[in-house]
């Protein structure tokens, strides 16, 4: 059980959940293991209790617990039926429900048979894939959860941002910890880029050895439980090689933000000798590599992003990109290093745009590329990400693709060093950290 005293607010997600409270759809919280889904269910139960719902109206089941280890859909149904309080509305919370075979049969029956509001979590997108969606199609709403944003990281690690006045009278933001010690925001951001946003790190503290143990545990659990074990439960044997899986993970982690096709992954692994391990020669088929990549996407370990032709107004089949769900996990896999920091901050921007509710694609215009086109409803935002805007050459390179776009939507360059000018021909130049804490 999570100690409710240690629950930290995740208002972005809790507010979405509350918005759907007492509506018919099953509320499905998805996201990588240990990103805070169980705590979100706890926050929701606290919200209910604060608003007059009594304990016996709330049923919580965590299928990671040994108590529910061998449940099937029948025993699951019977257990819940026994805990239903007659003539009262029930609130049912099922954590990691995909561990119950045919769970969707039972959940659909609860919806039909009982006066209840249902909340479930799962660490694998497969639970919402086509064969399951037929049971719950139109009857579930997905709340996609991610590790901590930079703003949440500040809160979880007890930093408070205050404006201080310098000797010359200028204002600047600094981060203060609980003891009153203050740090430059850049220092705290560097810690975020090192340790990432897994909520559990707030419990062990920003200590490299402890953080690595926690991250390695998350990594191995995702691989063993959410990929290899899930394959066995599906009765499929496509993903049978942990060595190949690890190699593909390492390749994708090393190449975040780079244009990749599935066929190049296998070829590169062979060319670099990464698959010459004594028992395998030759290149895995593109079909095999695709199955492994899909499994990583379904476990929310990596996210893929498609290219969009801005002039032709169509998505392109060629060369997408992959981003890793948490930069701390990447550091855990590849070691802490400073090289490639440009792609690392791009990774952070991508997930921040997702948190803010945007659909995100890569923009292609002529032979140039815009890092991100972010769209929602009637809003669109074009984003370039670079480490610094101080050099004339970099400015030209980053601004050129945006200058080719003729519509009037907002265009912004995010960088760690935004330079002196706040805009260039209507294209905004914004400090990345300021942008992250403004959301």
């Amino acid at each position: 059980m999570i100690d409710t005293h240690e629950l930290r607010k995740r208002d972005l997600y809790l507010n979405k959940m509350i918005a759907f409270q007492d509506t018919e759809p099953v509320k499905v919280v998805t996201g990588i293991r240990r990103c805070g889904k169980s705590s979100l269910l706890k926050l929701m139960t606290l919200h209910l209790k604060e608003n007059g719902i009594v304990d016996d109206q709330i049923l919580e089941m965590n299928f990671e617990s040994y108590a529910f280890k061998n449940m099937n859909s029948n025993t699951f149904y019977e257990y819940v039926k026994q805990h239903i309080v007659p003539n009262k509305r029930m609130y049912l919370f099922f954590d990691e429900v995909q561990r119950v075979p045919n769970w969707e049969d039972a959940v659909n029956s609860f919806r039909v048979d009982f006066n209840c509001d249902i909340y479930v979590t799962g660490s694998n997108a497969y639970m919402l894939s086509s064969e399951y969606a037929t049971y719950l199609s139109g009857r579930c709403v997905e709340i996609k959860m991610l590790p901590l944003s930079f703003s949440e990281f500040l809160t979880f690690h007890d930093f408070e941002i205050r404006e201080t006045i310098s000797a010359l009278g200028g204002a600047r933001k600094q981060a203060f910890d609980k003891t009153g010690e203050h740090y430059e925001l850049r220092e705290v951001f560097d810690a975020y880029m090192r340790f990432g946003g897994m909520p559990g790190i707030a419990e062990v503290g920003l200590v490299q050895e402890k953080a690595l143990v926690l991250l390695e545990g998350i990594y191995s659990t995702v691989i063993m439980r959410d990929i290899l074990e899930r394959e066995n439960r599906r009765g499929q044997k496509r993903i049978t090689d942990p060595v190949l899986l690890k190699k593909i993970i390492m390749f994708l982690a090393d190449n975040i933000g780079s244009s990749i096709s599935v066929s190049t992954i296998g070829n590169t692994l062979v060319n670099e000798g990464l698959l010459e391990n004594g028992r395998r020669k030759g290149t895995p088929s593109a079909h095999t590599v695709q199955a492994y990549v899909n499994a990583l996407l379904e476990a929310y370990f990596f996210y893929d992003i498609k290219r969009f032709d801005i002039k032709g107004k169509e998505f392109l089949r060629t060369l997408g990109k992959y981003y890793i769900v948490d930069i701390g996990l990447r550091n855990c896999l590849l070691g802490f290093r400073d090289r490639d920091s440009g792609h690392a901050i791009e990774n952070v921007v991508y997930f921040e745009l997702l948190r803010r509710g945007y659909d995100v694609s890569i923009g292609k215009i002529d032979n140039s590329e815009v890092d991100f086109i972010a769209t929602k409803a009637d809003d669109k935002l074009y984003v370039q990400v670079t480490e610094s805007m101080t050099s004339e050459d970099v400015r030209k390179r980053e601004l050129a693709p945006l200058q080719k776009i003729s519509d009037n939507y907002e265009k912004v360059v995010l960088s760690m060093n935004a330079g002196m000018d706040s805009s260039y021909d209507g294209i905004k130049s914004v400090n990345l950290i300021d942008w992250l804490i403004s959301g």
Side-chain angles (χ1 to χ4, degrees):
M1 262 321 162
I2 295 166
D3 181 355
T4 52
H5 296 299
E6 296 187 11
L7 279 178
R8 308 276 189 147
K9 285 275 191 267
R10 300 289 298 274
D11 286 344
L12 173 65
Y13 306 101
L14 181 59
N15 290 338
K16 287 181 185 176
M17 203 174 250
I18 291 168
F20 286 102
Q21 181 187 329
D22 290 320
T23 60
E24 191 207 358
V26 175
K27 276 60 75 177
V28 183
V29 185
T30 57
I32 191 169
R33 186 171 287 277
R34 305 282 292 279
C35 72
K37 300 185 299 296
S38 303
S39 298
L40 181 61
L41 293 193
K42 286 276 173 220
L43 287 165
M44 188 65 192
T45 62
L46 284 177
H47 166 77
L48 292 172
K49 289 173 184 177
E50 285 164 4
N51 287 275
I53 304 300
V54 296
D55 283 2
D56 66 357
Q57 288 176 266
I58 297 170
L59 175 63
E60 299 172 83
M61 298 172 73
N62 184 341
F63 292 100
E64 301 274 85
S65 164
Y66 199 81
F68 306 123
K69 187 175 189 298
N70 294 314
M71 272 196 170
N72 58 32
S73 58
N74 291 337
T75 51
F76 180 21
Y77 182 86
E78 287 305 319
Y79 182 92
V80 171
K81 187 178 178 182
Q82 287 166 16
H83 288 79
I84 295 291
V85 180
N87 304 318
K88 281 195 175 178
R89 183 151 178 83
M90 297 296 296
Y91 294 85
L92 310 179
F93 292 86
F94 306 129
D95 210 352
E96 297 296 340
V97 73
Q98 81 267 1
R99 296 182 71 78
V100 179
N102 302 317
W103 62 272
E104 66 285 355
D105 289 347
V107 167
N108 204 39
S109 297
F110 303 150
R111 230 178 35 76
V112 174
D113 296 350
F114 308 130
N115 174 16
C116 62
D117 196 18
I118 304 172
Y119 302 82
V120 307
T121 75
S123 300
N124 204 292
Y126 176 66
M127 67 181 288
L128 288 180
S129 67
S130 55
E131 59 208 79
Y132 286 166
T134 52
Y135 285 89
L136 297 171
S137 59
R139 301 179 189 131
C140 67
V141 57
E142 185 181 6
I143 296 167
K144 299 175 182 178
M145 198 165 196
L146 290 166
L148 304 177
S149 66
F150 180 54
S151 288
E152 289 178 315
F153 177 87
L154 288 164
T155 304
F156 268 56
H157 290 274
D158 295 313
F159 288 109
E160 183 189 342
I161 296 176
R162 297 182 206 155
E163 279 208 346
T164 56
I165 306 298
S166 72
L168 297 172
R172 66 172 178 173
K173 295 189 182 80
Q174 290 186 306
F176 287 75
D177 68 14
K178 281 196 295 195
T179 67
E181 190 74 38
H182 59 86
Y183 304 85
E184 296 303 319
L185 272 180
R186 176 63 192 260
E187 288 179 82
V188 187
F189 182 71
D190 287 346
Y192 180 65
M193 294 302 291
R194 171 168 282 259
F195 295 103
M198 282 299 179
I201 289 179
E203 291 161 33
V204 301
L206 298 174
V207 179
Q208 190 160 306
E209 293 74 22
K210 290 180 178 177
L212 280 174
V213 169
L214 180 109
L215 290 166
E216 281 164 7
I218 294 170
Y219 165 73
S220 58
T221 312
V222 168
I223 301 314
M224 295 312 297
R225 283 212 176 154
D226 297 330
I227 296 180
L228 298 174
E229 187 185 292
R230 184 216 63 177
E231 280 288 300
N232 287 334
R233 280 206 307 278
R234 284 163 74 172
Q236 297 190 352
K237 294 286 178 277
R238 291 178 311 165
I239 298 168
T240 54
D241 188 341
V243 176
L244 178 58
L245 183 61
K246 174 80 183 277
K247 299 296 186 191
I248 291 173
I249 290 167
M250 298 297 278
F251 179 86
L252 290 177
D254 203 17
N255 290 279
I256 54 168
S258 299
S259 297
I260 292 173
S261 76
V262 164
S263 59
T264 60
I265 298 175
N267 292 335
T268 307
L269 294 179
V270 171
N271 293 341
E272 293 182 359
L274 293 174
L275 291 183
E276 298 282 334
N277 60 11
R279 55 191 182 82
R280 184 198 296 103
K281 303 278 182 188
T283 311
S285 72
H287 184 72
T288 300
V289 172
Q290 186 68 63
Y292 280 69
V293 170
N294 287 348
L296 289 163
L297 298 174
E298 286 185 354
Y300 306 105
F301 202 92
F302 289 96
Y303 284 60
D304 62 344
I305 176 172
K306 302 284 186 287
R307 284 179 134 61
F308 185 77
D309 185 329
I310 295 171
K311 284 190 171 173
K313 294 191 165 40
E314 63 177 357
F315 282 98
L316 304 170
R317 289 185 174 280
T318 53
L319 295 179
K321 292 183 178 182
Y322 295 86
Y323 292 102
I324 193 165
V325 70
D326 180 68
I327 212 74
L329 281 169
R330 181 181 193 241
N331 293 334
C332 171
L333 289 165
L334 301 178
F336 297 98
R337 59 192 194 181
D338 287 332
R339 74 177 182 82
D340 200 25
S341 51
H343 278 151
I345 60 172
E346 202 179 289
N347 199 100
V348 166
V349 170
Y350 170 69
F351 284 103
E352 185 63 23
L353 289 167
L354 291 188
R355 282 187 198 92
R356 295 184 186 187
Y358 287 102
D359 288 320
V360 187
S361 53
I362 308 159
K364 175 186 174 295
I365 183 154
D366 299 331
N367 293 321
S368 308
E369 192 171 278
V370 177
D371 288 332
F372 302 119
I373 308 174
T375 55
K376 62 178 170 185
D378 300 328
D379 188 20
K380 187 182 287 186
L381 178 66
Y382 296 100
V383 182
Q384 289 285 68
V385 184
T386 186
E387 289 194 75
S388 174
M389 281 288 278
T390 53
S391 128
E392 179 70 24
D393 288 347
V394 171
R395 276 204 300 276
K396 282 182 178 168
R397 185 187 73 218
E398 298 298 332
L399 293 171
L402 295 175
Q403 287 166 334
K404 289 182 179 180
I405 300 169
S406 55
D407 66 35
N408 294 317
Y409 290 108
E410 188 176 350
K411 302 171 184 71
V412 62
V413 182
L414 299 173
S415 62
M416 298 302 297
N417 188 338
M420 297 299 288
D421 296 312
S422 60
S423 73
Y424 302 86
D425 303 328
I427 298 167
K428 291 182 185 173
S429 175
V430 178
N431 177 277
L432 171 64
I433 296 173
D434 288 342
W435 180 77
L436 289 170
I437 60 178
S438 71

